Amino acid sequence: MRLIIYIFLISQLLNFIGVFAEKVNKNITRFNKVNWEKVEENKSNPLKKIIWKYYESDENYFEKKNKQSSTTDKKNSHSEKRNFKSSKISVFSITEIEPFLPLNNFLEYDTIQASVRWKSSFDGGVGGGTGQQNPSFVFDYGISDSSLISIYITGADDDLYNLVDGQKINYYWQSYALSLKKKLIDEEDFDFGLSLVSTLEYWRHASGSETAKSIYNQKDSTLGKDKFENLVGALSFPISKNLNENISALIVPGITFLPEKLGPKGIGKNSYGNNFYIGSGLVFDIAEDFNLLLSYTTPLGPGNNYFDSNLNYSRKPIYSFGLGWNVNPKIGIEGKITNSYGASPSTGILTIPSDDLPLYSATLTYRPYGEDTYLNTLNERDKLISKGGITVNNALLPKAGNSQINISSDSRGNLFGSYYYSLSNLFQLELLNIGRFNNLNFKGSKKSHLYSNYLDENNFNFRLGGKLLIFSPQKNDLYWLASRLSVGRNDDTNQGYLFTEFMNTFRLNNWLAFNVSPKYFFSGVESFGGIGFSSYINLSDNLMLIPEINTSIKNDSELNSTLAVRYSFSSEKSLDLYYSNAAGVQDIGHLLKDNENRFGIKLNFLY
């Protein structure tokens, strides 16, 4: 453990010395490059003043001018992106393929980006549900053009994917990591790039419960939870080379420092231990805003990165492949298949506990200082429908910086509230969507198992997600098309599901718009598709009729319908009164039917 601390402290000290020296050198260079120029005025000026003007070196001066003009000049913006391919310093930077496979890319000085990553198995294993998830949050800050500091926060809490000794055993992971990356060799000056990346992590993990013994107890059959807190770390040296304008290759030798024995009841090694590894990766720019990402990593030992249902530890290669898409300079999206379950530099080479499975990984990156996509302003009629419907959503999006709040209640006790924030003109983050279904009558329904798992008597459902605008007449497309995805679970049964929809909205004339929304419900209990139809009929400037129909795409389809009247006090505030036999206004409630109708009220706010 002392070795980990010593290596981390020494590497951090060297990095900060390098950053300080770089800043001092920049300041000295700046003051040494002061140029004084005598400017003679027109001889007709009777005062014949001599004007002295100060400016920085031509290179820095015009570089700043170009950056300023790029915000208004689209051509210059594209030029900057082309320059990024060689300099690898830009708001478009992909800073890593995986947490343990950092790239020699950096952010510009004093810029930030934040990423949310979701790793999950395709099913829940013996624990059921949609999958075993390991969500994480990453914050990157450019402390200089050649130094990057990153903070990782990760957490997983599930049953082991497989039974151990015939029992379901819970496990818990939580990591808080601080990582510093410093450029050592610039590829512009040499034939390759090289950086040093050091990471220190606080790792909390646990196993076992009142009904199952811990996987770290190998001596007896005592039940109970074992908890551990460890200081762990990682060190890597990414080596990169641009093979051509579109392809970058990466080799990463590294080491992770993890405990090899935990607790007094282990027989020999009962944990992962330290691991040297060699990672390789490829970043292929298949289009201006699309990247193909590939990686393969071989753990060399002496430790391990995998254990099976018999608690036998061994080493497995780690792979990943997928696509990255820069929607615009503000928003980046990445989707991959990988068997890496860990989400921090020290745990990234670990497989899902008790198995080695392909997982899916989805990442959203937000760059607050990036230039947004320009959209024409919505007209007054379209602003009134941008708050969505009751059980059928539409594809319109409030502009960047706008918050949206919806609150609904009905005569049978359903209560829901949601909060959305537009990070970009093209992306709205669903930060909070909570509520409960109440007094449902589903007698005779073929989907009663769904009701018992997600809409039971003591249910409390919470969800989060996002909505991406793909087409819009605001940028000269024929219609609006948006994709939405949300995840969450019922707090009572601890069962979760994934809900997706593709919303297509068409404006026919000034008083009529309609919406077609294919939907898909995915869970460990059942998965099925559906489709929603709705119209927005303007009866007057501030009064609108909204009829809606939802049906699942199955022989046992449960068609439900809703009729709503919307009164708009302004383009930012409206009130919906509705009559419906849908189970509720939250995701799964769109596709399920209640045998009894209900009256409801929904308040919509936009600010």
Side-chain angles (χ1 to χ4, degrees), residues 189-464:
D189 302 324
F190 295 87
D191 200 33
F192 65 97
L194 173 65
S195 297
L196 165 65
V197 185
S198 55
T199 304
L200 188 66
E201 293 187 33
Y202 172 61
W203 189 29
R204 300 175 60 195
H205 46 122
S207 175
S209 65
E210 296 178 354
T211 59
K213 74 171 189 174
S214 165
I215 62 172
Y216 305 111
N217 177 10
Q218 299 170 321
K219 288 187 176 180
D220 56 49
S221 57
T222 304
L223 305 181
K225 178 178 288 189
D226 288 332
K227 300 179 181 179
F228 302 98
E229 298 179 1
N230 296 94
L231 196 63
V232 300
L235 193 66
S236 63
F237 296 88
I239 305 167
S240 64
K241 180 176 176 57
N242 293 330
L243 302 181
N244 56 43
E245 290 186 355
N246 298 319
I247 301 178
S248 297
L250 180 74
I251 298 293
V252 183
I255 181 172
T256 61
F257 302 95
L258 297 175
E260 66 178 22
K261 185 174 181 179
L262 293 169
K265 295 185 177 181
I267 300 175
K269 297 180 180 180
N270 66 345
S271 188
Y272 296 103
N274 300 335
N275 254 304
F276 289 95
Y277 66 88
I278 293 290
S280 59
L282 204 65
V283 179
F284 177 34
D285 298 336
I286 57 180
E288 184 179 12
D289 298 318
F290 285 89
N291 298 305
L292 177 64
L293 307 170
L294 306 169
S295 74
Y296 189 86
T297 300
T298 302
L300 303 175
N304 304 291
N305 68 330
Y306 156 83
F307 67 88
D308 61 19
S309 58
N310 295 316
L311 302 183
N312 297 315
Y313 283 80
S314 61
R315 292 188 288 274
K316 298 288 184 179
I318 299 297
Y319 58 84
S320 71
F321 57 92
L323 290 173
W325 175 29
N326 283 309
V327 179
N328 61 25
K330 268 188 177 296
I331 301 295
I333 296 175
E334 184 182 288
K336 289 190 295 190
I337 300 297
T338 180
N339 65 336
S340 162
Y341 186 72
S344 66
S346 301
T347 65
I349 66 169
L350 305 182
T351 67
I352 190 169
S354 79
D355 215 324
D356 176 25
L357 296 172
L359 316 170
Y360 67 86
S361 172
T363 303
L364 169 70
T365 299
Y366 174 58
R367 311 175 185 100
Y369 299 118
E371 184 180 356
D372 205 354
T373 301
Y374 175 77
L375 297 181
N376 294 319
T377 304
L378 289 171
N379 61 42
E380 290 303 315
R381 291 293 172 96
D382 290 334
K383 285 181 181 179
L384 298 181
I385 70 173
S386 64
K387 305 175 192 67
I390 309 299
T391 64
V392 179
N393 293 317
N394 64 53
L396 278 70
L397 220 65
K399 67 180 181 179
N402 277 13
S403 294
Q404 179 180 342
I405 295 177
N406 298 326
I407 302 171
S408 67
S409 178
D410 64 38
S411 58
R412 295 182 60 78
N414 280 1
L415 181 62
F416 295 95
S418 55
Y419 173 77
Y420 310 83
Y421 182 78
S422 295
L423 292 175
S424 160
N425 289 331
L426 301 184
F427 187 82
Q428 184 186 55
L429 183 64
E430 190 173 333
L431 285 168
L432 187 65
N433 189 340
I434 60 174
R436 59 171 300 172
F437 299 86
N438 196 30
N439 290 328
L440 294 171
N441 181 353
F442 52 89
K443 184 177 180 180
S445 172
K446 296 181 179 179
K447 291 186 171 61
S448 58
H449 54 295
L450 293 177
Y451 288 85
S452 60
N453 275 283
Y454 303 107
L455 295 80
D456 64 302
E457 183 177 349
N458 299 311
N459 74 89
F460 179 77
N461 284 264
F462 58 91
R463 309 190 61 72
L464 56 89

Side-chain angles (χ1 to χ4, degrees), residues 15-16 18-24 26 88-90 105-111 141-149 180-183:
N15 284 344
F16 277 113
V19 174
F20 177 76
E22 180 181 341
K23 289 182 177 290
V24 171
K26 281 184 176 180
K88 298 297 180 183
I89 300 175
S90 168
N105 296 351
F106 296 82
L107 302 182
E108 292 179 346
Y109 167 65
D110 204 30
T111 60
Y141 173 67
I143 54 178
S144 77
D145 286 351
S146 60
S147 300
L148 182 73
I149 191 167
L180 184 63
K181 178 166 64 174
K182 172 64 181 174
K183 183 188 296 183

Side-chain angles (χ1 to χ4, degrees), residues 54-68:
Y54 160 83
Y55 60 92
E56 296 177 350
S57 68
D58 289 345
E59 180 183 355
N60 292 335
Y61 180 78
F62 288 109
E63 182 181 356
K64 290 182 179 179
K65 289 295 184 184
N66 286 336
K67 286 183 180 179
Q68 291 172 0

Side-chain angles (χ1 to χ4, degrees), residues 124 126-128 132 157-162 168-171 353-354:
V126 296
Q132 296 197 17
D157 184 8
D158 262 306
D159 292 330
L160 292 180
Y161 190 82
N162 294 312
K168 290 183 182 180
I169 299 180
N170 182 263
Y171 73 93
S354 79

Side-chain angles (χ1 to χ4, degrees), residues 15-230:
N15 284 344
F16 277 113
I17 290 174
V19 174
F20 177 76
E22 180 181 341
K23 289 182 177 290
V24 171
N25 183 59
K26 281 184 176 180
N27 290 335
I28 293 175
T29 302
R30 178 182 176 184
F31 286 112
N32 286 339
K33 288 188 177 181
V34 175
N35 295 329
W36 297 93
E37 178 182 351
K38 178 181 177 181
V39 179
E40 295 185 1
E41 289 189 331
N42 194 305
K43 291 182 179 181
S44 63
N45 187 343
L47 298 179
K48 295 184 179 180
K49 288 184 178 178
I50 297 176
I51 299 176
W52 298 89
K53 70 175 182 178
Y54 160 83
Y55 60 92
E56 296 177 350
S57 68
D58 289 345
E59 180 183 355
N60 292 335
Y61 180 78
F62 288 109
E63 182 181 356
K64 290 182 179 179
K65 289 295 184 184
N66 286 336
K67 286 183 180 179
Q68 291 172 0
S69 63
S70 67
T71 60
T72 57
D73 188 334
K74 191 173 182 179
K75 184 175 180 180
N76 286 349
S77 176
H78 290 169
S79 175
E80 278 193 59
K81 284 196 280 183
R82 287 194 296 268
N83 291 335
F84 153 66
K85 289 185 178 179
S86 60
S87 68
K88 298 297 180 183
I89 300 175
S90 168
V91 294
F92 285 95
S93 285
I94 304 171
T95 57
E96 62 186 30
I97 297 180
E98 292 289 342
F100 58 95
L101 293 178
L103 295 166
N104 287 319
N105 296 351
F106 296 82
L107 302 182
E108 292 179 346
Y109 167 65
D110 204 30
T111 60
I112 62 175
Q113 68 179 21
S115 300
V116 177
R117 179 178 292 119
W118 188 274
K119 285 187 175 182
S120 175
S121 57
F122 287 91
D123 62 77
V126 296
T130 55
Q132 296 197 17
Q133 294 96 20
N134 188 11
S136 61
F137 173 81
V138 185
F139 176 85
D140 298 312
Y141 173 67
I143 54 178
S144 77
D145 286 351
S146 60
S147 300
L148 182 73
I149 191 167
S150 300
I151 297 172
Y152 297 80
I153 301 173
T154 79
D157 184 8
D158 262 306
D159 292 330
L160 292 180
Y161 190 82
N162 294 312
L163 296 175
V164 174
D165 292 333
Q167 291 183 314
K168 290 183 182 180
I169 299 180
N170 182 263
Y171 73 93
Y172 170 80
W173 280 5
Q174 192 175 61
S175 289
Y176 302 91
L178 176 66
S179 182
L180 184 63
K181 178 166 64 174
K182 172 64 181 174
K183 183 188 296 183
L184 301 179
I185 296 177
D186 195 329
E187 192 169 350
E188 291 184 350
D189 302 324
F190 295 87
D191 200 33
F192 65 97
L194 173 65
S195 297
L196 165 65
V197 185
S198 55
T199 304
L200 188 66
E201 293 187 33
Y202 172 61
W203 189 29
R204 300 175 60 195
H205 46 122
S207 175
S209 65
E210 296 178 354
T211 59
K213 74 171 189 174
S214 165
I215 62 172
Y216 305 111
N217 177 10
Q218 299 170 321
K219 288 187 176 180
D220 56 49
S221 57
T222 304
L223 305 181
K225 178 178 288 189
D226 288 332
K227 300 179 181 179
F228 302 98
E229 298 179 1
N230 296 94

